[in-house]
Each structure stands twice: as C-alpha cells, then as structure tokens.
Amino acid sequence: MNSGRFLDGPEFAVFHDKGNELNFFDRVDRSFTPKDSIHVNFNYTRSWFQTPNTFDNLNVQNVISGGSTSSPVFGSVGNTDQRAKIQTFDIAPLYTHLIGSNAIFNFGGFVRRDGFNYYPSNDPLADLGPIQSQTISQNRSLLNAGVRSDYSVQYGRNNIKIGALYQQTFLRERDPIAVINSTFNSPCVDGSGKALPGFTDPGQCAAAGAFSNDPSVGGSFNPVLLPFDLTRGGTSFNYFGHTDIKELALYVQDQIKAGNWLFNVGIRGDLYNGLAIARQAEPRLGISYSVKQTGTVLRVSYARTLESPFNENLVLSSQGCASNILAPLLNCQGGSNVVTPGYRNEFHAGFQQGFGKNFVVGGDYIWKYTHSAFDFSILGNTPIFFPIDWHNSKIPGFVIHADLPNYHNFSAFVSMSSVSARFFPPQSAGAGATVGQSGFPFRIDHDEKFNQTTHVQYQVPGKRGPWVGFNWRYDSGLNAASTPCYNITDPNSHCAGVSTTLNGQPAIDLSGFTADQEFEAGLSCNGVKATPTTPLPTPCLATQLTSSLLSIPAPGTENDDKNPSRVKPRSLFDAAVGEDNLFGGDKHRVSLRLTAVNLANKVALYNFLSTFSGTHYVTPRALTAEVGFHF
C-alpha cells in the first residue's frame, strides 16, 4: 500500500503524510499421521511513514547563529520532516496430537521481533513546534520469544483445559534527545519574567540588562541541560536502556454443561519479572442460562487479571524520570519512576435474545476497576508514546448488538456502545502526562457517552448480481480536555489557567494557542473565525467564544470529570458496491469493489491537543477501487 494520507493528520488538509506498507503472511499445515499435525505461521510487515505536519510546522524559525550570545540570530530552518520506519516478523509453529476421541495436546513456540526507527528532520532545529521543544531520534527493538502448551479433555459434562505459557521479551531502546527551543532552558529572563533566548550563564544577564534565571534566586534554569541545548551549541544526550521481561502463566479451566446452565470456571496464575516484579492469582467465573422456549440467554461473569505495562518505550519511561537530564525533557510529573504492573476486577452482565430465525439482539454491561491503571502519553508532535501509570481507574460501559443475518437479500446490523473512562491521580510512574496533576479524577480521551454503527447491505438477485452497502457511524464526542473554556470556581477544571476578564466580564485568554491551533479547533470570537495565520483577538468574552468542531461548556460549568469539554457530535456516512464473482468463474474468481468513505466530506475532529494522542481530524472523503483474484 502506498498512500498520501497514511495517518490521520492534525489538519483536514493533507500534507506531509506519505507512507507505504508491505505485508506478507503464509501458513503451512502438515499432517504426519491421522493424530499428529504441525501448523506454522509466518508474517512479515514493513511500513515507512511521515509524521503529519500542521501549518505551524512550515517554515520553522529557530536560532541559526549566535545562540550562546545575548543576541542570537533567528531564521528559517525549513519545514519539519519527521519520519518513522517499522519492521516486524514473527514465526509461530504449533504441534497438535489427538489423544483418543476426546482429548488433544498442543505444544508450540513463537518468535517475534519489532524494530522501530524514528528520524528527526535533517536539520533537528526544524522539529520545533508549539507542542515540541525537543528533537529525538529512536532505534528501538522488541524481541518476544516463548513456548506454550495445553491439554484439553472432554469428560462427561466437563470440558477441561490445562495450560502453560512462558515468554521472554528483550527490550532495547536508543534515544538521542536534545533541546531545540531557545527559551526552554534559558539562563536569563526579562523584567516580566519572560525567558530570553541566547546566553549560556546567568552571570551574563546583568551586562545585557536582563535578570538571572538561576535557581539560587528562584529561577528555573537547569545547568545540567546546557550541554544538550542545540540552540546554544550543544549536542544530543545519548540514552540507551534495556531490560529482559520474563513472564510465566499457568492456568486450568472447566466448562460444565448442566441442562440449561453453562458454567465456565478457572484460575490463572501470572508471574511477571521485569523492571518490576508482580505475582497474581486470577480466578475467573462465567455463568449463562438458556431459556429455550423464548430463545433467551442470560449471562454474568467475573475475572481477576494481572495488568502488565505496555512495552513501547517502557525502559525510557521508567528510568528516564529518575535522570536529572531526561526528566525535564520528558516532562516527568513525579511518582515512583518504574511503571509497575497492576490488577483489575472485571464484571460482565449480558443477554442474547432471538426473534425467529432472522433477528438477534444482545448486549452487555461491563465494569472494569483497575488498580495501577495504564495509558499512554505522547512526546510532542511524534508517534513516540510512553506508558504511564495512574493510581486507579473506573471504566464502566455497555455494548448492544442487533443482527439481521439475511432477510429477502437484505442483511444489517447495529452496534451501540458507551464508555466512561475515569482515571484517578496521582500519576504514580511514567513520562509525559500533563493532566490529573490537581489531584482530582479526570477522563481520558476515549471516554464517550454514546456511539453507534449501522450497516445495511442488499444483494441484487441473480447469479451475478452485485451487492450494495451503506454505513452510518454516529459519535456523541470524545473528551477534549484542551478546549479553551471559562471557570474560576471549580478546582477540578482546566479552564482556570485561561480564565480572565474583559471589561469586567468573564473572558478567555487565548494567548497560549497558536493561530493554527485555534483554526484546528474551529474557534470563532464574536463571529470572527481563526485562520492558520491569523489568531483571534484575546482575551475573548466567554459568551462569544464558539467552535464548529468542539463543544465548549457554558461559562462556569466545565468540570474535567463531571462535565468535560468534548468533540462535537457527528455522523459519518460510507457506501460501497461490489461484485464477488465478476465473470462467473468456478475455480477462479475475480471480484470488484468500489468504496466511498466520508461521503459528505464532513469536517470533524477525533480529538484536539490530547495529552494522550495529539490532534486528529477524521479522514476526508476518499474513493477506493479494489480488484481481487481468488483461487
């Protein structure tokens, strides 16, 4: 695949978003005897892609000379040009042996390697942006190898399975990183306390009419970072981290059929040895009851699980915050430094109801209570993510499905869901998050009150009739915690940092946003729209600030937990038409499919300046033609 819009970009316009991807997969099956067989899966994937730019990443202005003097010279260092490459291969053989007519034994292994390379702009100073003060390159690898085995036997009403899994993950992370913002770590400030570019020592400030930013007088200058400030003639700090993670899992489970009842019972034990050590006994119980007269199935379940940390940049996120060099570069917020496994109690209650042969409805309500809960934070305008660890989280939600398999050549389904993703400080480990520091609960950006997908398809009658499909996706809006708003009374509101007054009236200070960020958010002040190059007047009266893309709570009502800012509700429509056997072949078939995504070319956001994922627009209208050869 080769695309000019490889990733969802931070602008609706498409630029600096090229990418390509190659996938190869094969499976080999061989039976040696009627009871013995082997299956081997092979997979290789390679992708290369650009990090999408914003208008703020064009013609970047940065220090081009005199960075260590009192009068540095600024000029264009070009456009931001950050790129990445990922290569993955895995091999997974499995041996299967049948034991009699009611038992089976499996033994297999697997090896998978992921290699991730991230490349900064050719001039690293061009990586500078409103949300990025560092340049970073990365050479990271993950090698995961292990063995697994299980034995299953059916005995009367019981279907018993016993198994074990051992795996070892080798993490290697190389991350040269440096400062590229001339005011990120400045030795001097002006009379209002604003950081000044240039200088290399607080002792130089007085002679230039400036003031010292030395910590001894309450300043924030960190001399440890000076050798790694490219605007002042420094070089990159070369970080290398590694660890080997060993994991062992043992489990036994039994499925018991008793009349209309079905019981699933089991217990699993996990032993995790990595940068941290964790041991967890994990009981599981599921019960369902079938009312055959009405076609109804009722079910409940409980599971205790060990929640191990994400492996992406795990070493850097765990060790970096203990480094006086890396901690400020990674925006560390404190905590125990090492990202530690947690545990979860998960409950499900659901049903399934059939109506004749043509319609089925089912649903579940889910509760997830996690201690030591994980999410990701992001470094600037890059795809480099860090695992972060919060004290706990509560994630309840529901999902409902309705299916019409086939009725007079019509088929359809509806899927509806809701998720409440509440996280509770403090941040106990990990790098990069900027939310939750007030100590109050907040919602991460996949919290959404309601979404639904409806799909309808019609097969034209006849031997070679085409099919036509239509898709409707509705989203009530994800949490968007960076939306500017007004609230000075609620301690659990991010609005306090931008709330001010204008002629004695509540107003919002927009000076912390660039013109392009205001444009990305669809902001208007008193009917005047922001453009990528022209910001709104600031401050703007709270009653006059509106957005075409974000839902801004009424002045004085925003609360990061109970009433957060959100992306505006949206509906997206897709359509497709296809023929699965274009020429009526028997052994060989040719298929054709035409697809239109976002038919109405709706301009909408997924999220805005999210701590966890940045800014992303939905895909503009895209037309795709696909030809397949089946043999």
Side-chain angles (χ1 to χ4, degrees):
M1 179 182 71
N2 189 53
S3 173
R5 188 185 177 92
F6 193 80
L7 301 177
D8 290 321
E11 305 282 359
F12 192 71
V14 179
F15 58 95
H16 199 266
D17 198 4
K18 295 179 180 178
N20 54 71
E21 184 176 80
L22 168 71
N23 290 288
F24 172 80
F25 172 80
D26 193 19
R27 170 170 169 153
V28 177
D29 300 289
R30 178 65 185 271
S31 296
F32 301 101
T33 72
K35 294 185 177 181
D36 298 279
S37 60
I38 189 169
H39 316 276
V40 184
N41 289 336
F42 302 89
N43 187 66
Y44 172 76
T45 300
R46 181 193 182 277
S47 60
W48 177 95
F49 53 91
Q50 297 172 322
T51 298
N53 282 345
T54 69
F55 289 108
D56 287 325
N57 296 122
L58 305 181
N59 191 29
V60 177
Q61 303 293 305
N62 211 331
V63 176
I64 57 175
S65 65
S68 60
T69 69
S70 60
S71 301
V73 178
F74 284 80
S76 175
V77 291
N79 299 339
T80 305
D81 183 24
Q82 301 176 118
R83 297 138 291 145
K85 180 178 70 174
I86 304 174
Q87 295 187 87
T88 298
F89 77 82
D90 65 82
I91 304 173
L94 177 67
Y95 167 73
T96 298
H97 177 66
L98 299 178
I99 305 172
S101 60
N102 61 350
I104 187 171
F105 170 76
N106 292 307
F107 180 81
F110 53 89
V111 176
R112 170 173 172 156
R113 186 186 187 277
D114 294 275
F116 179 83
N117 293 90
Y118 193 70
Y119 309 103
S121 302
N122 291 330
D123 185 342
L125 294 173
D127 289 346
L128 178 66
I131 61 174
Q132 187 169 337
S133 296
Q134 316 88 340
T135 183
I136 186 172
S137 62
Q138 187 170 85
N139 183 351
R140 174 168 58 85
S141 67
L142 179 156
L143 178 64
N144 180 238
V147 294
R148 62 186 181 94
S149 181
D150 60 73
Y151 172 76
S152 301
V153 59
Q154 185 173 355
Y155 184 76
R157 295 180 174 179
N158 301 82
N159 195 336
I160 302 170
K161 185 175 183 178
I162 302 171
L165 166 67
Y166 176 79
Q167 59 182 323
Q168 194 159 345
T169 305
F170 302 87
L171 301 179
R172 302 292 182 267
E173 301 172 7
R174 297 184 185 275
D175 300 274
I177 186 171
V179 176
I180 54 171
N181 185 337
S182 61
T183 59
F184 180 82
N185 185 47
S186 180
C188 304
V189 297
D190 64 14
S192 64
K194 181 181 178 181
L196 296 174
F199 306 100
T200 56
D201 191 296
Q204 300 172 318
C205 305
F211 299 89
S212 172
N213 195 29
D214 192 85
S216 64
V217 293
S220 60
F221 173 62
N222 184 353
V224 175
L225 291 182
L226 185 62
F228 313 109
D229 189 337
L230 300 190
T231 69
R232 293 176 169 84
T235 59
S236 294
F237 174 76
N238 293 311
Y239 170 79
F240 173 67
H242 64 93
T243 191
D244 299 343
I245 300 172
K246 307 174 183 67
E247 297 176 81
L248 174 65
L250 306 170
Y251 62 90
V252 57
Q253 63 189 51
D254 188 10
Q255 185 180 87
I256 306 167
K257 177 71 174 175
N260 291 346
W261 293 92
L262 184 67
F263 300 90
N264 280 285
V265 296
I267 187 168
R268 174 184 173 115
D270 273 295
L271 294 85
Y272 177 95
N273 286 359
L275 294 172
I277 296 176
R279 306 286 185 266
Q280 189 68 232
E282 303 153 90
R284 286 95 187 273
L285 173 64
I287 304 172
S288 69
Y289 181 76
S290 175
V291 184
K292 295 184 178 180
Q293 297 88 336
T294 60
T296 306
V297 176
L298 304 174
R299 55 181 180 258
V300 294
S301 67
Y302 165 76
R304 172 88 164 203
T305 60
L306 174 73
E307 298 297 304
S308 57
F310 306 119
N311 286 319
E312 290 85 350
N313 296 296
L314 175 62
V315 184
L316 180 60
S317 190
S318 293
Q319 296 180 351
C321 291
S323 164
N324 58 355
I325 296 173
L326 290 173
L329 297 179
L330 302 179
N331 195 23
C332 292
Q333 303 294 327
S336 64
N337 299 322
V338 176
V339 182
T340 304
Y343 65 90
R344 172 180 292 171
N345 292 308
E346 184 167 335
F347 304 85
H348 289 231
F351 76 97
Q352 181 172 303
Q353 177 65 58
F355 298 90
K357 298 180 180 180
N358 296 312
F359 191 59
V360 179
V361 177
D364 283 274
Y365 199 88
I366 305 165
W367 298 263
K368 297 179 182 179
Y369 300 105
T370 308
H371 297 262
S372 192
F374 301 112
D375 207 326
F376 282 113
S377 65
I378 188 172
L379 178 66
N381 184 41
T382 74
I384 297 176
F385 293 88
F386 301 109
I388 52 176
D389 198 351
W390 299 97
H391 181 271
N392 68 289
S393 70
K394 297 180 180 179
I395 306 180
F398 70 81
V399 59
I400 298 174
H401 297 277
D403 293 279
L404 181 69
N406 193 330
Y407 183 73
H408 297 296
N409 293 328
F410 276 100
S411 60
F413 71 82
V414 176
S415 177
M416 297 176 283
S417 67
S418 173
V419 61
S420 171
R422 303 177 66 218
F423 278 61
F424 295 80
Q427 181 183 337
S428 51
T434 57
V435 298
Q437 306 309 319
S438 64
F440 293 96
F442 62 94
R443 294 173 185 259
I444 61 175
D445 62 2
H446 66 254
D447 178 282
E448 186 170 44
K449 291 183 178 180
F450 179 75
N451 67 70
Q452 72 85 31
T453 299
T454 299
H455 178 78
V456 179
Q457 187 164 312
Y458 178 70
Q459 176 68 55
V460 177
K463 185 177 179 180
R464 290 161 56 185
W467 54 264
V468 180
F470 182 79
N471 202 70
W472 169 37
R473 166 80 184 197
Y474 171 80
D475 288 270
S476 65
L478 297 174
N479 181 37
S482 295
T483 303
C485 53
Y486 180 87
N487 196 338
I488 59 173
T489 60
D490 195 327
N492 190 22
S493 175
H494 71 274
C495 305
V498 295
S499 296
T500 183
T501 59
L502 178 64
N503 299 325
Q505 299 298 313
I508 300 172
D509 181 4
L510 300 172
S511 61
F513 298 89
T514 68
D516 186 43
Q517 288 171 343
E518 294 175 357
F519 171 74
E520 290 172 347
L523 294 181
S524 298
C525 181
N526 196 24
V528 178
K529 297 181 180 181
T531 74
T533 56
T534 306
L536 298 176
T538 185
C540 176
L541 289 176
T543 56
Q544 294 181 350
L545 185 69
T546 59
S547 172
S548 60
L549 301 175
L550 301 172
S551 295
I552 304 175
T557 65
E558 199 281 339
N559 178 283
D560 290 353
D561 182 27
K562 303 300 183 182
N563 186 35
S565 308
R566 293 188 179 275
V567 173
K568 276 200 170 180
R570 65 178 181 271
S571 289
L572 300 175
F573 302 99
D574 308 327
V577 59
E579 170 57 67
D580 294 332
N581 195 351
L582 194 62
F583 302 114
D586 185 13
K587 294 183 178 180
H588 304 91
R589 293 184 295 110
V590 175
S591 64
L592 175 65
R593 172 180 296 188
L594 305 175
T595 304
V597 175
N598 193 3
L599 267 173
N601 206 30
K602 175 78 172 179
V603 179
L605 287 170
Y606 286 123
N607 41 36
F608 173 66
L609 288 180
S610 166
T611 297
F612 309 102
S613 59
T615 298
H616 295 97
Y617 276 83
V618 302
T619 302
R621 179 169 52 227
L623 307 177
T624 304
E626 179 183 297
V627 177
F629 178 62
H630 309 259
F631 59 94

